[in-house]
């Protein structure tokens, strides 16, 4: 009986250890030659704790914009760590709106690092990032030339989101018609944190850099 208990315990421990070491790392290239052809395909196949590494280049077109993390706690980061070399170009406009990435119901272990998101256009909100109850960490990223028709030219954070932005640059983003939060709009008990960030050339009717309420 004692031997049986010991073997069972070892098997259970082995299963737990295996489950804790299953995090995967995916390499994505702008030309589609990586582990997956697009960022979205990598997100669709990722599990909590996985890391998606982007090679330097400009990521455009379907599968590399309007991204949905599927409520998965995953890291998306540039392999080089240089956001000026790793760019998600949404190529959005009022006639053809596209945004960068959407996060929902995620914790601080969800990381976006070393990437530029540019030329996003949200017909209502969030040209670059859209956050719903998201507590993610955004580090060393650049948000430039993103536009929202109403709220948050670059970032739209609602439903108790508390993202942390570390050493990020918000440049030339705008909220146009209703015009709240040229770079960042936060509402519904959301509390973004900014540390070492730069805001330059952002425009809105109210809150050229940040508009926050409730």
């Amino acid at each position: 009986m004692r031997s049986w208990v010991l073997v069972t315990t070892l098997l259970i421990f082995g299963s737990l250890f295996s489950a804790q070491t299953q995090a995967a790392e995916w390499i994505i290239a702008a030309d589609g030659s990586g582990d997956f052809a697009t960022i979205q395909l990598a997100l669709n196949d990722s599990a909590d704790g996985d890391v998606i590494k982007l090679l330097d280049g400009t990521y455009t077109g379907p599968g590399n914009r309007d991204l949905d993390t599927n409520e998965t706690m995953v890291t998306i980061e540039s392999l080089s760590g240089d956001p000026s070399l790793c760019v998600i170009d949404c190529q959005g406009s009022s006639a053809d709106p596209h945004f960068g990435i959407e996060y929902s119901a995620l914790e601080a272990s969800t990381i976006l690092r070393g990437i530029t998101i540019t030329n996003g256009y949200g017909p209502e909100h969030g040209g670059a990032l859209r956050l719903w109850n998201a507590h993610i960490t955004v580090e060393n990223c650049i948000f430039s030339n993103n536009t929202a028709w109403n709220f948050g030219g670059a970032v739209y954070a609602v439903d108790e989101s508390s993202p942390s932005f570390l050493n990020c640059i918000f440049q030339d983003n705008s909220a146009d018609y209703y015009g709240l939060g040229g770079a960042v709009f936060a509402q519904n008990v959301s509390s973004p944190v900014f540390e070492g960030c730069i805001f330059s050339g952002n425009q809105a009717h109210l809150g050229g850099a940040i508009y926050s309420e409730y």
Side-chain angles (χ1 to χ4, degrees), residues 35-104:
D35 293 322
F36 294 92
T38 66
I39 302 170
Q40 187 62 62
L41 288 175
L43 286 168
N44 292 345
D45 207 52
S46 291
D48 289 347
D50 286 0
V51 179
I52 298 174
K53 291 184 175 289
L54 306 185
L55 297 176
D56 289 343
T58 300
Y59 293 79
T60 61
N64 291 318
R65 62 191 182 192
D66 305 322
L67 299 172
D68 187 346
T69 58
N70 305 309
E71 299 187 7
T72 303
M73 289 180 282
V74 62
T75 293
I76 305 174
E77 64 182 7
S78 63
L79 190 61
S80 69
D82 187 343
S84 68
L85 300 178
C86 185
V87 178
I88 294 176
D89 187 345
C90 303
Q91 298 177 315
S93 66
S94 58
D96 187 24
H98 295 286
F99 65 94
I101 309 175
E102 179 175 290
Y103 292 91
S104 178

Side-chain angles (χ1 to χ4, degrees), residues 136-156:
I136 69 172
T137 300
V138 183
E139 183 177 358
N140 190 30
C141 287
I142 298 172
F143 302 95
S144 65
N145 297 300
N146 298 288
T147 304
W149 189 236
N150 287 329
F151 311 113
V155 178
Y156 177 78

